[in-house]
Amino acid sequence: MKFIFKKELPNYLEFLFSGLREDIRKAWLAKISLWHLDYQEQYKGGQTSVDIFIDTLIKEYFDNKGCDCFVLSEENPNCEVDYKKLIFIIDPIDGTHNLIMGYHSFTTSIAVYYNNKYIMGWVYDISRDLIYKAAIGEGAYIQNIYESRKIKTQDRKKLSDMRVSFHRAKDDRLITLQRAIVESAGKIRVSSCSSLDICLVASGVLHAFIDLSIHGHERGIDVAAAKIILIEAGGEMMYSTGTTYELQFPSETLIKKHVSIIASSGKNTKQEILRLYNEVDI
């Protein structure tokens, strides 16, 4: 595998994460792929045994590699972040409910923060064995086991030409908006894995991802890596007001605070979605 990023630190991280991908893939083939057959607990949100399993696997991998880093994840949300170190913001499994019911739409994601800024995003689509990755200023890529290819968003002017994914609405006003999207969009896909959907927007498979939950389904830790990939691919992430969604610095807020976001493939897509929000008066 030829590594893409030319800057020294992203190139090192690309190499480091490729080894992590191998360990997660082995765990998937040996254990996780059939996990749903034995999972008896009713999922009520939050962490499960599989989240903890992958979280532990990731931390042990970095320890074994002698990586001098600080890991921020759901397992240590209240700890004091060491900002002098390389910081990995990790979501061990995004799409936990999908995994434990055997629906293949879930990821592991890592956003990298160093010297007071985010520098890289890495999202691993586990069941399909595909990596989405981006380094600031070096573009976004999709990678299989043989090659990496650059990805770009595909902007659209009309909703009828768009492929749209969303987290479904439950509030009456947002249900009205959801109905308008379903009736007008070219295609609708609902995967219940926001990091993957955002990466699909980044790669041109989808044109928009919309969180229609009234209080916000997403947390910074869920979308941090995917946002970096989206921006490097030419897309935008915003609130329903049109204000840009900015990632906060690494802290427990990334894990605990929920927000409602929209990922768009470009300026035209953004304007069309905001027009729909205004028409429905959200």
Side-chain angles (χ1 to χ4, degrees):
M1 167 63 66
K2 180 182 178 182
F3 298 111
I4 297 297
F5 302 132
K6 294 180 173 59
K7 295 177 183 177
E8 184 177 356
L9 183 53
N11 184 268
Y12 160 72
L13 293 170
E14 199 176 3
F15 174 78
L16 181 70
F17 294 164
S18 70
L20 176 61
R21 170 250 156 208
E22 292 178 8
D23 280 10
I24 295 174
R25 186 63 181 173
K26 289 175 184 176
W28 163 255
L29 293 172
K31 187 173 184 178
I32 304 173
S33 57
L34 299 181
W35 199 293
H36 64 284
L37 297 177
D38 299 319
Y39 200 88
Q40 302 298 322
E41 300 174 37
Q42 184 178 359
Y43 183 67
K44 298 179 181 179
Q47 281 195 299
T48 68
S49 52
V50 70
D51 293 284
I52 296 169
F53 175 79
I54 294 296
D55 186 271
T56 301
L57 181 154
I58 293 170
K59 290 173 180 174
E60 289 181 350
Y61 172 82
F62 291 141
D63 284 344
N64 292 337
K65 292 296 180 181
C67 181
D68 186 22
C69 61
F70 180 89
V71 175
L72 179 66
S73 72
E74 290 178 313
E75 280 294 281
N76 59 341
N78 299 312
C79 62
E80 186 174 345
V81 179
D82 187 347
Y83 292 102
K84 295 180 182 179
K85 291 188 175 183
L86 192 64
I87 301 172
F88 296 154
I89 298 96
I90 294 177
D91 188 1
I93 296 292
D94 181 28
T96 300
H97 199 186
N98 287 340
L99 191 155
I100 62 177
M101 71 178 185
Y103 184 75
H104 289 189
S105 183
F106 45 86
T107 68
T108 294
S109 67
I110 304 175
V112 184
Y113 187 89
Y114 185 63
N115 275 349
N116 299 315
K117 60 185 177 181
Y118 286 92
I119 64 169
M120 185 173 174
W122 186 87
V123 176
Y124 181 38
D125 181 354
I126 299 171
S127 64
R128 298 174 183 85
D129 198 17
L130 291 173
I131 292 169
Y132 298 88
K133 58 187 179 182
I136 298 299
E138 297 203 53
Y141 295 82
I142 186 172
Q143 172 188 328
N144 62 20
I145 61 173
Y146 298 110
E147 63 177 330
S148 295
R149 290 194 178 185
K150 197 165 190 176
I151 55 176
K152 295 292 290 183
T153 58
Q154 300 292 325
D155 199 12
R156 291 290 185 270
K157 290 184 177 181
K158 296 181 179 180
L159 190 58
S160 58
D161 294 330
M162 295 181 196
R163 297 182 291 272
V164 179
S165 177
F166 55 76
H167 276 306
R168 67 188 179 93
K170 296 182 180 180
D171 174 82
D172 288 343
R173 289 181 304 160
L174 289 170
I175 288 173
T176 301
L177 176 61
Q178 178 177 284
R179 186 180 300 114
I181 293 170
V182 171
E183 291 175 350
S184 302
K187 297 288 183 182
I188 295 293
R189 297 291 182 266
V190 179
S191 73
S192 297
C193 179
S194 55
S195 60
L196 180 57
D197 282 346
I198 294 167
C199 286
L200 292 174
V201 175
S203 61
V205 175
L206 298 174
H207 302 108
F209 164 74
I210 306 171
D211 180 1
L212 291 170
S213 57
I214 191 167
H215 296 298
H217 184 88
E218 319 307 332
R219 302 166 301 162
I221 197 170
D222 299 320
V223 301
K227 189 207 170 182
I228 295 167
I229 295 164
L230 176 68
I231 300 305
E232 284 295 311
E236 301 182 42
M237 190 174 289
M238 61 182 176
Y239 300 103
S240 61
T241 58
T243 304
T244 299
Y245 170 68
E246 300 287 357
L247 287 172
Q248 294 178 306
F249 64 90
S251 69
E252 64 178 308
T253 303
L254 280 177
I255 299 173
K256 295 183 176 181
K257 182 180 179 180
H258 287 76
V259 295
S260 181
I261 55 96
I262 298 169
S264 75
S265 54
K267 181 179 179 180
N268 293 317
T269 301
K270 171 184 176 178
Q271 291 177 343
E272 179 71 347
I273 292 170
L274 292 177
R275 177 191 63 78
L276 200 60
Y277 267 80
N278 290 331
E279 285 184 359
V280 180
D281 192 26
I282 299 301

